[in-house]
């Protein structure tokens, strides 16, 4: 049973703070993703990683960076948090093969005040 | 621009009724069309998926209908139950170099099934 865990369920930070969101998966999947979920906008891809130390920008990378030093861990970094980054953040992995299934973590609700 | 358009944004259905959610896509290179179900406080989970060479796929009470020429696909939930109340996302994906799938999601439909 694939498990994707995220370090915090709820987080409150101040404008300008550096924020780290951590994600860990236990299924040895190469690909990992960070999305943000906002009402009326669905899930939007921020960054993804297809291997250790490899990363690619998604559709909305501005204001974010990522780190993947170990295969099981993928971190999202907000260099200087702003109020428009208040959102639900979801980490995911994906299987490979004939059918593709993304496994999502439970999400981190980040509020920037 | 929205590559996957989903409607309606919210839906209320009586218990036992049929819930229908529609999606349309632009990019004909998409090669996989999953639907995800999300309950409050949880991440989305794969519900059912279809490839464009198939016009319909059924799993229990859930059916995907796919119209390749119209670039549209829909989710039908038969005999809807209160336990089906959740947010549903359609998605479309395309294979990218490096062996991963880039998944584009619709905006989601919040379904409420009332007794």
């Amino acid at each position: 049973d694939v498990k994707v865990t995220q370090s915090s369920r709820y987080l409150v930070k101040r404008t300008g703070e550096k924020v780290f969101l951590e994600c860990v998966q236990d299924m040895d999947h190469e690909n990992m993703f960070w999305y943000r979920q906002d009402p009326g906008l669905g899930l939007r891809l921020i960054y993804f990683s297809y291997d250790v130390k490899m990363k690619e920008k998604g559709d909305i990378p501005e204001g974010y960076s990522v780190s993947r030093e170990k295969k099981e861990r993928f971190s999202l970094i907000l260099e200087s948090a702003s109020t428009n980054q208040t959102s639900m953040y979801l980490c995911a992995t994906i299987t490979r093969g004939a059918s593709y299934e993304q496994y999502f973590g439970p999400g981190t609700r980040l509020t920037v005040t | 621009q929205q590559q996957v358009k989903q409607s309606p944004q919210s839906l209320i259905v009586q218990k036992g009724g049929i819930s229908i959610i529609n999606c349309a896509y632009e990019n004909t290179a998409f090669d996989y069309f999953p639907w995800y179900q999300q309950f409050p406080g949880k991440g989305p989970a794969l519900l059912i998926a279809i490839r464009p060479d198939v016009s319909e796929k059924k799993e229990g009470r859930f059916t995907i209908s796919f119209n390749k020429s119209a670039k549209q696909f829909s989710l039908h939930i038969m005999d809807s139950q209160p336990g089906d109340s959740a947010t549903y996302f359609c998605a479309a994906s395309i294979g990218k170099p490096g062996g991963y799938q880039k998944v584009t999601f619709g905006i989601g439909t919040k379904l409420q099934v009332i007794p």
Side-chain angles (χ1 to χ4, degrees):
Chain A
D1 208 26
V2 176
K3 204 159 190 179
V4 180
T5 56
Q6 295 183 230
S7 52
S8 305
R9 294 301 303 271
Y10 300 94
L11 212 52
V12 179
K13 295 292 181 181
R14 292 195 181 275
T15 302
E17 278 193 81
K18 191 168 186 176
V19 182
F20 293 87
L21 303 182
E22 305 284 340
C23 175
V24 178
Q25 54 110 350
D26 67 357
M27 282 301 292
D28 203 36
H29 289 165
E30 284 96 359
N31 300 328
M32 296 186 74
F33 305 79
W34 275 106
Y35 293 89
R36 64 178 281 177
Q37 181 177 3
D38 299 287
L41 295 175
L43 280 72
R44 292 180 292 164
L45 181 63
I46 305 171
Y47 264 98
F48 67 92
S49 169
Y50 51 89
D51 205 345
V52 174
K53 297 191 187 293
M54 306 302 285
K55 60 188 179 185
E56 291 285 340
K57 293 179 180 179
D59 299 318
I60 52 163
E62 297 78 19
Y64 304 94
S65 63
V66 290
S67 172
R68 191 155 179 215
E69 297 296 319
K70 293 185 178 182
K71 192 173 186 179
E72 68 272 17
R73 190 179 296 269
F74 190 33
S75 302
L76 179 69
I77 303 155
L78 286 66
E79 296 290 341
S80 177
S82 64
T83 54
N84 63 13
Q85 292 178 309
T86 292
S87 185
M88 171 69 82
Y89 290 88
L90 291 161
C91 175
T93 69
I94 195 166
T95 58
R96 295 175 74 167
S99 63
Y100 301 94
E101 179 171 355
Q102 283 196 289
Y103 291 90
F104 286 85
T108 295
R109 170 73 65 185
L110 172 67
T111 301
V112 182
T113 61
Chain B
Q1 79 273 20
Q2 223 178 331
Q3 288 200 54
V4 179
K5 294 182 180 177
Q6 182 173 349
S7 63
Q9 284 198 45
S10 64
L11 183 61
I12 299 174
V13 173
Q14 289 233 277
K15 179 182 174 182
I18 303 173
S19 304
I20 301 173
I21 304 170
N22 300 300
C23 286
Y25 63 96
E26 296 291 326
N27 188 348
T28 55
F30 287 134
D31 59 5
Y32 192 65
F33 298 86
W35 284 87
Y36 283 81
Q37 179 188 53
Q38 184 181 30
F39 292 106
K42 304 280 188 183
L46 181 67
L47 182 64
I48 187 173
I50 198 168
R51 291 203 176 272
D53 52 349
V54 176
S55 61
E56 185 175 282
K57 183 172 182 181
K58 186 175 181 179
E59 288 184 4
R61 296 184 293 108
F62 300 91
T63 300
I64 301 177
S65 297
F66 191 86
N67 186 330
K68 189 174 181 178
S69 60
K71 294 188 283 186
Q72 295 174 347
F73 58 111
S74 60
L75 176 70
H76 294 234
I77 307 174
M78 311 301 286
D79 187 28
S80 299
Q81 299 296 313
D84 297 330
S85 298
T87 299
Y88 293 82
F89 293 95
C90 63
S93 71
I94 182 169
K96 290 290 190 183
Y100 82 96
Q101 287 275 320
K102 184 179 181 197
V103 185
T104 301
F105 288 87
I107 62 172
T109 296
K110 188 170 184 179
L111 171 66
Q112 185 182 357
V113 181
I114 54 177

